[in-house]
Amino acid sequence: MKGVFLASVTALAMSATLAHAATDKPAVVYDQAGKYDKSFNEGVYNGVLKYEKDTGQQIREFEPKNEAQVEQGLRRLAQRGYSPIIAVGYSMSAATEKVAKDFPNIHFSIIDSVINLPNVQSIVFKEQEGSFLVGALAAMKSKTNTVGFIGAIDVPLIRKFSCGYRQGVKYIAPNDKVIVNFVGSTGAAFSNPTQGSELAKSQFSQGADVIFAAAGGTGIGVYQAAADAGKYAIGVDSDQNYLHPGVMLTSMVKRVDQAAYNVYKSAAAGDWKPGVVTLGLADNGVTWALDKYNEKLITPEMKAKMDTIRKDIIDGKIKVHDYSVDNSCNM
């Protein structure tokens, strides 16, 4: 009986230690584009910085250089008791699921993917809603009746951006043309500004005068091409308006910064829960950026129209189709 009692005490102590670790050792694994990509990863990084500033607690960071290092980084952090661990991006799905199964007492939060495990929280966004807004704005601004979209990879997640954008354009101007291109087929497509620039030049040569880039760091090349051509570009994930004032029409912002912050905050409070968290316009999870860098490009009439569209989407008067539901863009 004494041995059983000691074993029980030990098990309880281990459980307490794991529960304590879940609030005391937060970590994050960025994707291969790195935390200074001025887009998706940097948005998460801004949430990390804010949490560290607000709490004084340091968050352990890992930046993989290739796909193999993603699982290595996640596993190493889990072995050392870090929890919760945020995995940044859908490309980490397989690695996160594998490591989460091996470490059932560690909490994982993954952004932009859904993993059905009892120790994984999946954070997804209604990208189609924010993209609808910037598509509508692009159509209002275009003088050529032709706009463009450049995505990193042709996968359902990026198609959600493309489809939402096209719906927004068509809502304002049903006959406008939308040119769509994708950069590549691997994670490297999110960090290839040279290719982004070349695709943008091609779309401008076909008459586009506004291009929305949903391609992470690759978008930097798109924005520079727009600046060189005297055209407009739309940023993604983070507010990128500051990169080229007067050129960036707006940015479709995903509040991955707030999502990351909330993961750590809820864990510290003991409120972290597995399951799916979905953030859209109604939750301020996505939006369009209006600030000092682009305000001169937006007329009062355009602003009023955008406010009306936003409200109508939230109220359900405008139905925005989600490409990922049926892998089609019903418009």
Side-chain angles (χ1 to χ4, degrees):
M1 289 295 292
K2 182 178 180 181
V4 172
F5 175 76
L6 288 174
S8 299
V9 171
T10 301
L12 287 170
M14 288 177 65
S15 297
T17 299
L18 285 169
H20 186 66
T23 60
D24 278 356
K25 298 185 70 175
V28 59
V29 178
Y30 300 101
D31 78 11
Q32 296 172 53
K35 66 181 181 182
Y36 294 117
D37 67 348
K38 301 186 186 300
S39 185
F40 183 68
N41 285 269
E42 195 157 332
V44 174
Y45 178 54
N46 288 335
V48 168
L49 289 179
K50 185 177 187 300
Y51 186 79
E52 289 181 335
K53 180 180 179 181
D54 289 352
T55 65
Q57 184 176 32
Q58 186 173 4
I59 294 171
R60 181 65 179 268
E61 300 175 302
F62 179 71
E63 295 182 81
K65 301 303 180 184
N66 54 58
E67 189 173 343
Q69 288 185 357
V70 172
E71 181 180 337
Q72 294 170 6
L74 288 167
R75 189 171 298 279
R76 190 175 300 118
L77 290 168
Q79 288 171 338
R80 296 176 181 177
Y82 284 93
S83 182
I85 302 170
I86 294 180
V88 182
Y90 78 93
S91 63
M92 295 191 186
S93 297
T96 302
E97 182 171 4
K98 186 175 181 180
V99 177
K101 287 180 178 178
D102 292 342
F103 295 88
N105 292 312
I106 297 296
H107 295 161
F108 296 83
S109 291
I110 185 166
I111 299 175
D112 276 355
S113 185
V114 175
I115 297 174
N116 295 311
L117 288 174
N119 61 326
V120 178
Q121 180 186 75
S122 303
I123 304 170
V124 294
F125 293 82
K126 296 180 180 180
E127 292 90 356
Q128 69 276 8
E129 293 184 349
S131 297
F132 187 104
L133 285 178
V134 301
L137 189 64
M140 290 182 218
K141 194 67 174 178
S142 177
K143 294 181 180 180
T144 62
N145 302 319
T146 301
V147 299
F149 175 87
I150 296 176
I153 305 176
D154 188 359
V155 294
L157 173 63
I158 305 302
R159 284 280 180 178
K160 285 177 70 176
F161 286 91
S162 172
C163 184
Y165 180 67
R166 290 161 59 197
Q167 289 175 79
V169 171
K170 299 296 184 179
Y171 180 81
I172 297 296
N175 296 320
D176 275 14
K177 180 180 180 180
V178 183
I179 304 170
V180 176
N181 291 117
F182 296 93
V183 177
S185 58
T186 68
F190 287 95
S191 53
N192 190 343
T194 300
Q195 183 63 15
S197 176
E198 291 304 313
L199 287 174
K201 291 175 183 177
S202 174
Q203 292 193 357
F204 290 140
S205 72
Q206 297 174 65
D209 56 355
V210 184
I211 295 177
F212 176 30
T218 295
I220 301 302
V222 176
Y223 313 148
Q224 184 61 58
D228 294 341
K231 309 295 185 182
Y232 297 109
I234 296 173
V236 73
D237 295 333
S238 298
D239 181 352
Q240 298 181 311
N241 294 350
Y242 71 96
L243 292 174
H244 291 280
V247 171
M248 304 302 294
L249 180 60
T250 186
S251 296
M252 200 295 275
V253 179
K254 284 172 63 172
R255 293 302 308 277
V256 291
D257 58 335
Q258 192 61 49
Y261 186 96
N262 289 344
V263 168
Y264 300 130
K265 183 178 179 181
S266 63
D271 296 329
W272 184 97
K273 293 181 177 64
V276 179
V277 177
T278 304
L279 303 173
L281 282 179
D283 317 285
N284 290 317
V286 295
T287 188
W288 69 290
L290 178 62
D291 52 36
K292 65 181 181 180
Y293 300 107
N294 71 329
E295 60 184 1
K296 292 182 180 179
L297 302 176
I298 312 299
T299 66
E301 293 76 17
M302 292 167 71
K303 171 66 164 57
K305 184 66 173 177
M306 292 292 283
D307 290 343
T308 298
I309 294 173
R310 182 182 184 278
K311 184 177 186 301
D312 286 349
I313 292 174
I314 292 173
D315 292 344
K317 294 180 181 179
I318 295 176
K319 305 292 185 182
V320 185
H321 180 68
D322 178 356
Y323 178 90
S324 65
V325 171
D326 58 5
N327 288 332
S328 70
C329 192
N330 296 320
M331 300 170 63

